PDB file of all heavy atoms in Angstrom:
ATOM      1  N   LEU A   6      73.731 -23.705 107.496  1.00  0.00           N
ATOM      2  CA  LEU A   6      74.199 -23.651 108.908  1.00  0.00           C
ATOM      3  C   LEU A   6      75.240 -22.412 108.966  1.00  0.00           C
ATOM      4  O   LEU A   6      75.254 -21.679 109.837  1.00  0.00           O
ATOM      5  CB  LEU A   6      74.706 -24.902 109.455  1.00  0.00           C
ATOM      6  CG  LEU A   6      73.874 -26.139 109.610  1.00  0.00           C
ATOM      7  CD1 LEU A   6      74.721 -27.192 110.233  1.00  0.00           C
ATOM      8  CD2 LEU A   6      72.830 -25.689 110.615  1.00  0.00           C
ATOM      9  N   GLU A   7      76.026 -22.434 107.923  1.00  0.00           N
ATOM     10  CA  GLU A   7      77.153 -21.490 107.946  1.00  0.00           C
ATOM     11  C   GLU A   7      76.574 -20.065 107.659  1.00  0.00           C
ATOM     12  O   GLU A   7      77.093 -19.218 108.405  1.00  0.00           O
ATOM     13  CB  GLU A   7      78.135 -21.787 106.739  1.00  0.00           C
ATOM     14  CG  GLU A   7      79.417 -21.010 106.921  1.00  0.00           C
ATOM     15  CD  GLU A   7      80.597 -21.606 106.021  1.00  0.00           C
ATOM     16  OE1 GLU A   7      80.409 -22.649 105.325  1.00  0.00           O
ATOM     17  OE2 GLU A   7      81.677 -21.005 106.081  1.00  0.00           O
ATOM     18  N   ASP A   8      75.596 -20.031 106.787  1.00  0.00           N
ATOM     19  CA  ASP A   8      74.927 -18.647 106.567  1.00  0.00           C
ATOM     20  C   ASP A   8      74.256 -18.159 107.901  1.00  0.00           C
ATOM     21  O   ASP A   8      74.275 -16.944 108.265  1.00  0.00           O
ATOM     22  CB  ASP A   8      73.812 -18.891 105.604  1.00  0.00           C
ATOM     23  CG  ASP A   8      74.400 -18.983 104.145  1.00  0.00           C
ATOM     24  OD1 ASP A   8      75.638 -18.790 103.922  1.00  0.00           O
ATOM     25  OD2 ASP A   8      73.632 -19.370 103.249  1.00  0.00           O
ATOM     26  N   THR A   9      73.647 -19.044 108.688  1.00  0.00           N
ATOM     27  CA  THR A   9      72.969 -18.682 109.984  1.00  0.00           C
ATOM     28  C   THR A   9      74.083 -18.140 110.989  1.00  0.00           C
ATOM     29  O   THR A   9      74.022 -17.180 111.679  1.00  0.00           O
ATOM     30  CB  THR A   9      72.094 -19.776 110.498  1.00  0.00           C
ATOM     31  OG1 THR A   9      71.137 -20.166 109.515  1.00  0.00           O
ATOM     32  CG2 THR A   9      71.383 -19.284 111.833  1.00  0.00           C
ATOM     33  N   ALA A  10      75.147 -19.047 110.977  1.00  0.00           N
ATOM     34  CA  ALA A  10      76.251 -18.718 112.057  1.00  0.00           C
ATOM     35  C   ALA A  10      76.787 -17.296 111.695  1.00  0.00           C
ATOM     36  O   ALA A  10      76.992 -16.484 112.558  1.00  0.00           O
ATOM     37  CB  ALA A  10      77.349 -19.763 111.971  1.00  0.00           C
ATOM     38  N   CYS A  11      77.080 -17.041 110.374  1.00  0.00           N
ATOM     39  CA  CYS A  11      77.631 -15.830 110.024  1.00  0.00           C
ATOM     40  C   CYS A  11      76.645 -14.717 110.272  1.00  0.00           C
ATOM     41  O   CYS A  11      76.982 -13.524 110.701  1.00  0.00           O
ATOM     42  CB  CYS A  11      77.998 -15.779 108.435  1.00  0.00           C
ATOM     43  SG  CYS A  11      79.439 -16.857 108.149  1.00  0.00           S
ATOM     44  N   ALA A  12      75.391 -14.903 109.967  1.00  0.00           N
ATOM     45  CA  ALA A  12      74.389 -13.807 110.235  1.00  0.00           C
ATOM     46  C   ALA A  12      74.284 -13.482 111.721  1.00  0.00           C
ATOM     47  O   ALA A  12      74.056 -12.248 112.141  1.00  0.00           O
ATOM     48  CB  ALA A  12      72.941 -14.331 109.776  1.00  0.00           C
ATOM     49  N   LEU A  13      74.414 -14.381 112.619  1.00  0.00           N
ATOM     50  CA  LEU A  13      74.416 -14.052 113.986  1.00  0.00           C
ATOM     51  C   LEU A  13      75.525 -13.291 114.453  1.00  0.00           C
ATOM     52  O   LEU A  13      75.447 -12.539 115.521  1.00  0.00           O
ATOM     53  CB  LEU A  13      74.389 -15.455 114.737  1.00  0.00           C
ATOM     54  CG  LEU A  13      73.002 -16.217 114.755  1.00  0.00           C
ATOM     55  CD1 LEU A  13      73.184 -17.682 115.274  1.00  0.00           C
ATOM     56  CD2 LEU A  13      71.879 -15.451 115.547  1.00  0.00           C
ATOM     57  N   VAL A  14      76.684 -13.397 113.729  1.00  0.00           N
ATOM     58  CA  VAL A  14      77.867 -12.414 114.144  1.00  0.00           C
ATOM     59  C   VAL A  14      78.125 -11.383 113.072  1.00  0.00           C
ATOM     60  O   VAL A  14      79.260 -11.049 112.727  1.00  0.00           O
ATOM     61  CB  VAL A  14      78.996 -13.274 114.417  1.00  0.00           C
ATOM     62  CG1 VAL A  14      78.880 -14.024 115.660  1.00  0.00           C
ATOM     63  CG2 VAL A  14      79.490 -14.207 113.227  1.00  0.00           C
ATOM     64  N   ALA A  15      77.062 -10.926 112.402  1.00  0.00           N
ATOM     65  CA  ALA A  15      77.103  -9.949 111.393  1.00  0.00           C
ATOM     66  C   ALA A  15      77.709  -8.611 112.036  1.00  0.00           C
ATOM     67  O   ALA A  15      77.660  -8.406 113.177  1.00  0.00           O
ATOM     68  CB  ALA A  15      75.678  -9.574 110.859  1.00  0.00           C
ATOM     69  N   ALA A  16      78.291  -7.931 111.193  1.00  0.00           N
ATOM     70  CA  ALA A  16      78.985  -6.624 111.630  1.00  0.00           C
ATOM     71  C   ALA A  16      78.116  -5.735 112.573  1.00  0.00           C
ATOM     72  O   ALA A  16      77.009  -5.499 112.307  1.00  0.00           O
ATOM     73  CB  ALA A  16      79.467  -5.838 110.460  1.00  0.00           C
ATOM     74  N   GLY A  17      78.660  -5.351 113.735  1.00  0.00           N
ATOM     75  CA  GLY A  17      77.966  -4.486 114.678  1.00  0.00           C
ATOM     76  C   GLY A  17      76.764  -5.118 115.489  1.00  0.00           C
ATOM     77  O   GLY A  17      76.026  -4.321 116.054  1.00  0.00           O
ATOM     78  N   LYS A  18      76.672  -6.376 115.319  1.00  0.00           N
ATOM     79  CA  LYS A  18      75.456  -7.069 115.855  1.00  0.00           C
ATOM     80  C   LYS A  18      75.967  -8.243 116.833  1.00  0.00           C
ATOM     81  O   LYS A  18      77.042  -8.832 116.677  1.00  0.00           O
ATOM     82  CB  LYS A  18      74.666  -7.728 114.903  1.00  0.00           C
ATOM     83  CG  LYS A  18      73.875  -6.642 114.084  1.00  0.00           C
ATOM     84  CD  LYS A  18      72.896  -7.394 113.240  1.00  0.00           C
ATOM     85  CE  LYS A  18      72.308  -6.485 112.053  1.00  0.00           C
ATOM     86  NZ  LYS A  18      71.183  -7.064 111.370  1.00  0.00           N
ATOM     87  N   GLY A  19      75.107  -8.609 117.750  1.00  0.00           N
ATOM     88  CA  GLY A  19      75.286  -9.719 118.686  1.00  0.00           C
ATOM     89  C   GLY A  19      74.011 -10.214 119.154  1.00  0.00           C
ATOM     90  O   GLY A  19      73.009  -9.914 118.640  1.00  0.00           O
ATOM     91  N   ILE A  20      74.092 -11.314 120.037  1.00  0.00           N
ATOM     92  CA  ILE A  20      72.756 -11.972 120.508  1.00  0.00           C
ATOM     93  C   ILE A  20      72.361 -11.524 121.862  1.00  0.00           C
ATOM     94  O   ILE A  20      73.189 -11.239 122.761  1.00  0.00           O
ATOM     95  CB  ILE A  20      73.213 -13.487 120.423  1.00  0.00           C
ATOM     96  CG1 ILE A  20      73.552 -13.941 119.067  1.00  0.00           C
ATOM     97  CG2 ILE A  20      72.142 -14.355 121.033  1.00  0.00           C
ATOM     98  CD1 ILE A  20      74.270 -15.422 118.908  1.00  0.00           C
ATOM     99  N   LEU A  21      71.102 -11.545 121.971  1.00  0.00           N
ATOM    100  CA  LEU A  21      70.402 -11.205 123.258  1.00  0.00           C
ATOM    101  C   LEU A  21      70.118 -12.631 123.891  1.00  0.00           C
ATOM    102  O   LEU A  21      69.338 -13.422 123.249  1.00  0.00           O
ATOM    103  CB  LEU A  21      69.151 -10.437 123.150  1.00  0.00           C
ATOM    104  CG  LEU A  21      68.199 -10.432 124.345  1.00  0.00           C
ATOM    105  CD1 LEU A  21      68.786  -9.757 125.546  1.00  0.00           C
ATOM    106  CD2 LEU A  21      66.872  -9.889 123.986  1.00  0.00           C
TER     107      LEU A  21
END
Side-chain angles (χ1 to χ4, degrees):
L6 293 182
E7 191 164 3
D8 287 350
T9 303
C11 289
L13 286 168
V14 291
K18 295 188 190 185
I20 298 170
L21 165 67

